[in-house]
Amino acid sequence: MKFANPDAVIEPGAGSSVNGLSIDCAAERGVQSLSKNGYAVFRIGRLRLGHDESRDVAEQIMRALASSMIQSGAPSELYVEVDLPQTTIMPSEAPTRNMLMHHDGQHSSYLTPSRELVEDWQEDERVFSATGFTTTHTHKLYQGIFISDPGQGLSVTPHVDLVRVVMDAAARQGCIGVESASRWYAANLRSAVRERPLHGSNYPTLAGMLGVGTTSLRGTPLIREEAPVPLEHRLLFPDLEPLIAQCPCGQCLGETLRLFCHVVYQGLGLSASDFKAEYETCLVSEQFDLLVTNNIGSMHAGREGGSSRVLHPFYLTVPRPGGDAYERWLHNTWVSSAAAVLQ
């Protein structure tokens, strides 16, 4: 299990407090960490403010992040979107919940190739579905979660560099380098769109992104580890039954986790537990902390969350996923992660 790099953990001060960094300084540190690590952890909880005051600091940080990122070359249209609080949906009879990796707003906010790497990629190919989503229908570049209540379980948010996952999976297929991997990935996404009428999924799955398995596996959303695969999906795709019954490592508990194990084994040669050990960085938070991640170039998950956990999402959003500044930002996301992979 890996934890956040020390330079990604930032202790902001309230206003111009000399007991910590100012909001603007904290945001500058955050931009540096997001560029280097793909995530930043703001320890607002250590200021020992009340809930509303802490949430206000979190929103100030998000607004300062937006300004700093625009100055650093992000699209000038970048703005802060405040979403509704999210409670923790629990599987039946489970004491805690484990979430598998996902983008927030994944129907319209997910990793795609930059036109600087795949010239014929179109802006409208960055929307997988306009229906069936649980968050807003906007393109979320960065995801911030304010921990209103950590709950009675662990308050751990695993972070996964998706570009690294894609680069490694592409390399297994002989596609070496960021441009070759981008083109391989683009072909997988386009295939996922063509298959959508067959399975009805409202967002691209990891299996679809990596081009593994059959249509049934590529079209099965894998979100909550402990949850059973929906009966209607099993009836539609009976070839899933042997995969649900037994995963490659034989150790995974839960139908959804067993299918995830098949996906990462076929794509990367790893079991589910080995995948987590290799790719996940665990971001640990206490009450009123703010976690910010790159919502396009990475994915986040959830580990052993309790039923009383409450998150308040903030997003750094753009009105449309296109334009020269967006393509440069997305290109830099690919290239910076790819450089770390190839070192």
Side-chain angles (χ1 to χ4, degrees):
M1 184 182 297
K2 298 187 294 289
F3 294 94
N5 289 334
D7 63 358
V9 180
I10 302 162
E11 298 197 25
S16 59
S17 169
V18 297
N19 295 321
L21 295 173
S22 70
I23 296 296
D24 289 341
C25 289
E28 290 175 8
R29 286 263 308 274
V31 170
Q32 293 169 4
S33 180
L34 285 163
S35 176
K36 175 185 175 183
N37 304 304
Y39 58 84
V41 181
F42 296 92
R43 295 292 194 203
I44 300 173
R46 295 183 182 178
L47 297 175
R48 299 299 184 251
L49 303 173
H51 176 278
D52 292 347
E53 293 173 290
S54 298
R55 184 186 171 281
D56 183 61
V57 171
E59 185 168 347
Q60 289 181 54
I61 290 173
M62 293 299 292
R63 297 192 184 282
L65 279 174
S67 297
S68 294
M69 286 175 176
I70 291 170
Q71 293 175 8
S72 300
S76 60
E77 302 87 358
L78 192 69
Y79 68 94
V80 177
E81 177 186 359
V82 182
D83 205 352
L84 297 174
Q86 296 179 359
T87 56
T88 302
I89 301 173
M90 300 293 294
S92 60
E93 301 180 359
T96 58
R97 179 195 72 175
N98 291 282
M99 295 281 286
L100 291 169
M101 51 187 282
H102 60 281
H103 301 282
D104 270 9
Q106 193 164 316
H107 69 290
S108 63
S109 302
Y110 53 92
L111 181 66
T112 60
S114 166
R115 286 173 58 88
E116 295 188 16
L117 293 167
V118 180
E119 297 83 358
D120 64 343
W121 192 263
Q122 300 299 311
E123 183 178 323
D124 61 8
E125 293 183 281
R126 294 186 172 126
V127 177
F128 197 79
S129 171
T131 60
F133 49 88
T134 56
T135 62
T136 56
H137 187 54
T138 57
H139 192 77
K140 303 165 174 55
L141 269 64
Y142 295 91
Q143 176 249 27
I145 55 172
F146 172 69
I147 312 296
S148 288
D149 188 334
Q152 74 275 37
L154 296 179
S155 188
V156 174
T157 304
H159 169 271
V160 176
D161 185 335
L162 180 57
V163 174
R164 181 187 168 206
V165 172
V166 170
M167 292 280 293
D168 287 352
R172 285 172 57 85
Q173 304 302 316
C175 300
I176 308 298
V178 64
E179 184 172 346
S180 180
S182 293
R183 295 186 180 281
W184 174 83
Y185 181 69
N188 293 340
L189 285 183
R190 284 169 168 159
S191 293
V193 171
R194 289 194 295 271
E195 288 183 333
R196 188 169 174 257
L198 302 176
H199 53 67
S201 177
N202 289 314
Y203 57 82
T205 64
L206 180 62
M209 292 172 174
L210 302 184
V212 302
T214 60
T215 297
S216 56
L217 187 59
R218 293 190 294 269
T220 303
L222 305 176
I223 302 175
R224 299 180 183 91
E225 288 190 8
E226 300 88 354
V229 176
L231 177 60
E232 60 271 19
H233 202 81
R234 297 172 72 146
L235 293 174
L236 180 63
F237 294 112
D239 60 308
L240 288 176
E241 292 301 329
L243 305 183
I244 292 171
Q246 180 70 51
C247 69
C249 73
Q251 302 297 315
C252 295
L253 301 178
E255 295 178 356
T256 296
L257 183 59
R258 285 195 284 271
L259 288 185
F260 180 81
C261 192
H262 282 283
V263 170
V264 295
Y265 187 78
Q266 291 183 35
L268 295 152
L270 299 173
S271 67
S273 59
D274 288 341
F275 175 91
K276 292 178 181 181
E278 177 66 23
Y279 291 104
E280 285 189 353
T281 298
C282 291
L283 310 182
V284 181
S285 54
E286 64 180 39
Q287 190 170 32
F288 305 153
D289 283 352
L290 173 69
L291 312 181
V292 183
T293 64
N294 184 322
N295 189 51
I296 301 299
S298 65
M299 287 178 155
H300 59 280
R303 180 163 294 178
E304 296 185 28
S307 60
S308 61
R309 193 174 194 228
V310 179
L311 309 177
H312 198 126
F314 295 91
Y315 302 109
L316 298 184
T317 299
V318 289
R320 49 178 278 259
D324 291 344
Y326 180 85
E327 300 299 341
R328 285 193 301 271
W329 175 87
L330 183 57
H331 177 264
N332 290 338
T333 294
W334 273 92
V335 170
S336 59
S337 289
V341 172
L342 297 173
Q343 283 180 353

